[in-house]
Amino acid sequence: PVFEHNGVTFAYIRQNNVYFVIATRLNGNISMLIVYLYRIVEVFNGYFDKVEEESVRDNFVMIYELLDEMMDFGYPQFTETGILKEYITQQGYKLKILEDDDN
């Protein structure tokens, strides 16, 4: 899932129905970029159980704060869920699946 267009290299991963994309104009280490995307998904899963379109919508502000802590000026910083939970203490909105009780 890596391609180049007009001098920009794009890499992406898909988690459920959500695409995570990273772009660079520099000759970056593509394996590091993909690992970073997987770390983002891991952190999001730690905050709101499952990464889906609805959980992204419901937790937009928290995602913004997490991304702000995880990257500064284009350089990855903290990607450990435990460390991030010390800085961002609010709880994410977790999706609840309603079960049909037809019995």
Side-chain angles (χ1 to χ4, degrees), residues 34-94:
I34 291 175
V35 167
Y36 182 72
L37 290 175
Y38 279 108
R39 296 292 297 165
I40 289 173
V41 170
E42 185 179 311
V43 168
F44 289 177
N45 283 330
Y47 270 87
F48 35 88
D49 288 339
K50 190 173 182 184
V51 177
E52 291 184 343
E53 182 180 351
E54 185 177 344
S55 63
V56 170
R57 261 190 262 121
D58 293 341
N59 294 292
F60 182 78
V61 173
M62 178 176 287
I63 288 172
Y64 184 83
E65 289 180 28
L66 286 168
L67 291 175
D68 186 44
E69 290 294 331
M70 292 176 71
M71 182 168 289
D72 284 330
F73 302 106
Y75 295 101
Q77 300 297 316
F78 302 115
T79 59
E80 294 291 328
T81 305
I83 293 173
L84 287 166
K85 284 190 176 187
E86 292 177 14
Y87 294 105
I88 301 173
T89 57
Q90 69 187 40
Q91 296 294 316
Y93 174 76
K94 298 184 181 188

Side-chain angles (χ1 to χ4, degrees), residues 8-38:
V8 179
T9 303
F10 297 90
Y12 68 92
I13 61 171
R14 182 177 172 204
Q15 182 71 26
N16 298 323
N17 56 353
V18 179
Y19 286 89
F20 292 85
V21 180
I22 198 162
T24 181
R25 289 186 184 270
L26 304 175
N27 187 13
N29 181 347
I30 199 66
S31 60
M32 182 191 72
L33 298 176
I34 291 175
V35 167
Y36 182 72
L37 290 175
Y38 279 108

